[in-house]
Amino acid sequence: MLSIENLHIEVSGKKILDGVNLKIEKGVTSIMFGQNGSGKTSLVMAIMGFPEYKITKGKIIFKGKVINDLSIDERARLGIGILLQRPPTVRGVKMRQMIALASKASNKKFDVEKMASKLNMKEFLDRDLNLGFSGGEMKRSELLQLAAQSPDLLLLDEPESGVDLENIALIGDVINKLSGKDKSALIITHTGHILDYVNASRGCVLENKKVQCVGDPHDILNRIRKYGYKGCISCHRKEPEKIKAKN
Amino acid sequence: MANKELWIKDFDRDTQEHPYQKNLSKISPVDKKSMIETGVDVSEKGRAGTFIQLDHSVVHAASLQKGLEVMNISDALKKYDWLKDYWWKAVAKDSDEYTILADKESRNGYFIRALPGVKAGYPIQSCLFLKKENLLQNVHNLIIAEEGSQLNIITGCTTASYVKKGAHIGISEFYIKKNATIKFTMIHNWAEEVMVRPRSKAIVEEGGMFLSNYVCLKPVNSIQMYPTATLVGEGATARFNSILYAHSGSHLDIGSRVILSKPNTKAEIIARAVTNGGTIITRGHLKGEAPSVKAHLECRGLILSPEGSILAIPELEGKGKDLEMSHEAAVGKIAKEEIEYLMTRGLSSEEAQAVIVRGFMDTAILGLPPELQKGIDDLVKSCQEEAL
């Protein structure tokens, strides 16, 4: 589904990512761990095509096609969808309208009321997009829009941040539905809480501007809990099996 | 940003009379189309009354609800001697050259009144229509909401499709009695070379409410107006909402003023101004003269073209203690983050900008009943499609 090869990213002339390699197969949900400021958000923004995140070297390949030069909307229509950590407020644009536009752009039929009701967002449908939304409401609003968009690859940037315990299970449940068998997802987290709620089979760590290890996400989280992210850096580039053996 | 002066002598003052139409279906289809674009529905479905003036001639004036009066102001002045207590009592006749001209030779206009306690179920619609090229239309309107009554008025001003040049002077005097409400929505759909000088004042008594909506989306030469509400009774409220779109060559100088002269009065002024090449001066003036008044002014401007300009002039004036008055103003371009955000949902950059601009001109701020809301939304949409 997605293959990233030796990706170098700069933001305002500053190097953020320095040779990232990553593969996400069809039907796989992958978790990316990393400390605050490690470049996780920059990576998903670059995959989505935000021009501020400049590719200076390397390739992003989606469904077998190099997408480096495609605009954000071209990538969206090709099947990439993103949940932004802090989406902007768009005054006067109602959520219901945004959902209709998203499902129209992806040419998919969508039952707004049903999904809004599942995500407890019904009363938000006629409100201005993100205006006065709490952290958790923003995430649910983003998921609702993504559901309408129904992308093949979901990029979820900290879907659990600011979400209360009650709603985190709901969010996990919806993510599992959206990333069903033919779809893939890349979920960014620095706490790892979301892992208890989503069906993720792969994990990796982004540190020092590179992907440092790849393996079972639960094993990786356990190691991070035990040794901290420093542990990931010290064992970097070792095979996941070897990391397991050390435990 | 010098104002474009309206030279009265450049325009014709006289034209032929148009016949009165008892049956609105007799109105010509092309004129009908222009009227619909200003929210006037000639089928009168969902309306409590209709007033239509073509050039100087009132061609229709009728109420559809008991307790509501919709008349030619000239007839009303003849019928009710007491109207002299209202005529030129809110607007001063010597305010400027336009009021002086209106005093000398205004040609009709509407009289709308709700009797005490009468609540209009549907909006009353009015249309002031310029049919003759280069004519100066000069009307004087009088609107009275008697004690405890409620009026909802939509008035559309427009021209025949072939008219390019003309002028409109409109004096409007509103009287909102104790605990009465007037919701007044004015839509201006003039033509490229039309100059417009409305002069409006509202007097709001105890517990009364004046809500004034103004929408101007089509090209026009120039509009200059500064409608003012004076809250003369305790607990009175005034709200002004404006949605303005200036095309290249248009000069809009639009203000709203509320004088809060009694305790516990409230006022709110909201303006959304978009320019695609024209000039907008958006003014607001709140004057608090009594204790415990609350007032807020908000102006947001969006400049879409390098030729466009917006000058926002918010003024707050407080006298006395326990006042609560505030304003916020912002002028700028469409935020890049918002465009990119919408693009992540599959909209092209152009589509995203169109959606954001339409959202910016948020008609929900007008608080209109559904039968009017949709019409205005369609207007915003068509204006934008034309602009793009």
Side-chain angles (χ1 to χ4, degrees):
Chain A
M1 180 77 76
L2 178 77
S3 171
I4 292 173
E5 296 175 4
N6 192 28
L7 190 70
H8 291 64
I9 298 292
E10 274 183 21
V11 177
S12 314
K14 194 180 159 212
K15 187 166 266 186
I16 304 291
L17 297 176
D18 186 16
V20 167
N21 291 294
L22 184 71
K23 258 198 171 67
I24 299 176
E25 303 295 339
K26 192 172 173 178
V28 170
T29 292
S30 186
I31 306 277
M32 176 174 274
F33 301 93
Q35 299 187 74
N36 283 332
S38 60
K40 306 184 298 297
T41 294
S42 297
L43 178 63
V44 291
M45 296 301 261
I47 298 171
M48 191 71 237
F50 284 82
E52 210 183 318
Y53 299 82
K54 208 174 147 206
I55 301 173
T56 54
K57 205 173 166 188
K59 280 182 208 165
I60 304 173
I61 302 161
F62 178 64
K63 293 182 180 172
K65 184 179 170 185
V66 178
I67 59 166
N68 286 26
D69 295 328
L70 297 189
S71 63
I72 298 175
D73 56 313
E74 286 169 327
R75 295 183 202 204
R77 288 195 295 270
L78 212 56
I80 304 180
I82 194 166
L83 175 148
L84 291 177
Q85 209 183 128
R86 273 180 291 270
T89 296
V90 191
R91 277 174 194 273
V93 175
K94 311 297 169 198
M95 197 200 282
R96 185 188 297 282
Q97 184 190 356
M98 196 58 235
I99 289 165
L101 289 166
S103 66
K104 193 179 153 203
S106 66
N107 240 334
K108 291 190 177 102
K109 274 212 176 121
F110 181 66
D111 187 341
V112 184
E113 302 293 330
K114 195 174 158 196
M115 197 52 159
S117 163
K118 178 163 175 64
L119 279 162
N120 297 325
M121 288 307 280
K122 266 188 110 156
E123 58 190 290
F124 291 81
L125 284 174
D126 295 306
R127 280 177 54 176
D128 288 5
L129 206 52
N130 302 322
L131 181 63
F133 287 19
S134 72
E137 287 157 1
M138 269 185 198
K139 306 291 150 140
R140 272 145 53 209
S141 148
E142 290 286 281
L143 277 181
L144 183 54
Q145 294 171 55
L146 276 178
Q149 201 177 342
S150 183
D152 297 322
L153 172 67
L154 292 151
L155 305 170
L156 309 173
D157 192 359
E158 309 243 0
E160 81 271 47
S161 77
V163 179
D164 53 39
L165 274 175
E166 203 178 318
N167 278 308
I168 201 165
L170 172 67
I171 281 184
D173 187 32
V174 172
I175 292 173
N176 288 335
K177 284 207 168 64
L178 294 184
S179 56
K181 61 177 171 29
D182 290 334
K183 312 227 167 175
S184 310
L186 175 61
I187 304 177
I188 284 176
T189 179
H190 81 272
T191 62
H193 290 148
I194 193 72
L195 197 51
D196 294 338
Y197 303 93
V198 296
N199 307 321
S201 58
R202 300 292 284 171
C204 65
V205 178
L206 190 73
E207 281 300 327
N208 281 354
K209 304 181 175 124
K210 285 187 170 81
V211 172
Q212 299 289 14
C213 75
V214 181
D216 179 87
H218 300 275
D219 290 346
I220 293 178
L221 184 60
N222 283 336
R223 279 188 58 80
I224 293 167
R225 282 184 175 148
K226 234 182 203 165
Y227 306 110
Y229 280 107
K230 271 186 192 151
C232 297
I233 296 167
S234 65
C235 77
H236 83 102
R237 290 196 181 280
K238 285 174 190 155
E239 294 302 312
E241 283 69 23
K242 286 184 188 164
I243 297 167
K244 260 189 185 172
K246 267 168 80 177
N247 285 330
Chain B
M1 290 197 190
N3 203 353
K4 287 186 183 177
E5 287 306 314
L6 168 60
W7 298 107
I8 293 164
K9 61 176 170 37
D10 289 349
F11 298 94
D12 298 328
R13 310 266 268 279
D14 290 301
T15 182
Q16 64 173 107
E17 291 292 314
H18 304 284
Y20 189 86
Q21 304 286 2
K22 201 166 176 200
N23 188 345
L24 280 176
S25 64
K26 297 262 170 63
I27 291 188
S28 85
V30 280
D31 291 351
K32 231 182 254 178
K33 190 170 167 281
S34 302
M35 288 178 191
I36 288 166
E37 285 175 1
T38 65
V40 172
D41 187 344
V42 288
S43 77
E44 294 190 289
K45 205 180 137 207
R47 299 291 187 265
T50 300
F51 175 91
I52 297 174
Q53 177 164 345
L54 300 185
D55 298 331
H56 299 327
S57 314
V58 174
V59 300
H60 191 87
S63 159
L64 295 170
Q65 186 184 331
K66 207 175 157 223
L68 300 180
E69 293 179 287
V70 179
M71 295 167 74
N72 181 341
I73 187 68
S74 309
D75 297 340
L77 286 167
K78 278 180 220 152
K79 184 175 176 187
Y80 298 127
D81 185 46
W82 50 265
L83 272 185
K84 63 180 186 297
D85 297 335
Y86 296 86
W87 191 245
W88 290 116
K89 291 296 185 281
V91 177
K93 60 174 85 164
D94 57 356
S95 305
D96 57 27
E97 59 188 305
Y98 311 115
T99 57
I100 290 167
L101 184 77
D103 181 40
K104 269 201 301 208
E105 57 173 66
S106 73
R107 310 286 278 275
N108 299 324
Y110 51 79
F111 172 68
I112 295 174
R113 178 181 179 222
L115 296 182
V118 173
K119 294 178 168 60
Y122 286 118
I124 291 171
Q125 58 183 359
S126 116
C127 181
L128 299 167
F129 195 103
L130 265 177
K131 209 168 158 61
K132 184 184 182 295
E133 178 76 11
N134 205 45
L135 184 74
L136 187 150
Q137 190 180 47
N138 184 358
V139 300
H140 190 151
N141 309 310
L142 199 57
I143 304 98
I144 302 173
E146 299 286 359
E147 198 171 314
S149 69
Q150 285 180 11
L151 268 179
N152 190 345
I153 301 167
I154 176 159
T155 179
C157 299
T158 189
T159 65
S161 53
Y162 50 82
V163 167
K164 294 280 171 278
K165 193 177 173 196
H168 172 92
I169 294 173
I171 312 298
S172 297
E173 300 185 276
F174 296 87
Y175 296 90
I176 296 109
K177 302 292 183 66
K178 191 176 171 185
N179 297 325
T181 296
I182 292 183
K183 284 190 183 181
F184 180 76
T185 300
M186 181 156 80
I187 296 166
H188 273 176
N189 271 359
W190 300 106
E192 286 86 346
E193 289 305 321
V194 177
M195 294 179 152
V196 186
R197 298 294 182 271
R199 297 292 179 258
S200 304
K201 292 271 169 73
I203 309 286
V204 191
E205 294 182 8
E206 187 186 334
M209 182 176 173
F210 181 56
L211 168 63
S212 171
N213 289 320
Y214 178 64
V215 178
C216 179
L217 305 170
K218 289 277 181 75
V220 64
N221 178 296
S222 69
I223 300 178
Q224 189 273 316
M225 64 183 206
Y226 213 139
T228 299
T230 306
L231 308 180
V232 300
E234 235 184 275
T237 304
R239 267 166 49 196
F240 285 92
N241 302 311
S242 311
I243 299 179
L244 314 171
Y245 191 104
H247 299 257
S248 180
S250 294
H251 188 284
L252 308 180
D253 183 345
I254 313 287
S256 304
R257 178 183 289 121
V258 183
I259 300 164
L260 302 98
S261 63
K262 280 285 166 4
N264 300 310
T265 49
K266 286 195 207 83
E268 187 176 55
I269 296 173
I270 296 178
R272 297 273 187 277
V274 179
T275 170
N276 194 21
T279 299
I280 300 179
I281 304 172
T282 165
R283 303 172 196 266
H285 182 196
L286 292 167
K287 190 174 179 188
E289 301 179 327
S292 306
V293 304
K294 270 190 191 174
H296 181 68
L297 194 163
E298 179 191 309
C299 171
R300 288 174 190 276
L302 197 56
I303 302 176
L304 302 178
S305 136
E307 288 77 39
S309 72
I310 295 177
L311 173 63
I313 311 176
E315 290 179 77
L316 299 182
E317 200 180 331
K319 272 203 294 197
K321 51 182 270 187
D322 296 332
L323 302 169
E324 228 182 288
M325 300 172 76
S326 57
H327 81 70
E328 52 176 309
V331 173
K333 58 174 185 178
I334 305 177
K336 186 172 70 75
E337 295 72 33
E338 293 178 29
I339 300 171
E340 290 175 348
Y341 180 46
L342 267 54
M343 287 171 76
T344 68
R345 305 288 179 236
L347 278 71
S348 71
S349 173
E350 294 72 27
E351 286 166 339
Q353 290 181 52
V355 169
I356 292 165
V357 172
R358 204 178 309 150
F360 183 88
M361 297 193 283
D362 185 7
T363 57
I365 65 169
L366 306 177
L368 294 171
E371 63 266 29
L372 296 183
Q373 174 80 35
K374 198 191 167 288
I376 293 192
D377 283 344
D378 291 347
L379 258 185
V380 172
K381 210 173 166 187
S382 79
C383 140
Q384 202 184 22
E385 277 160 9
E386 270 172 48
L388 293 171

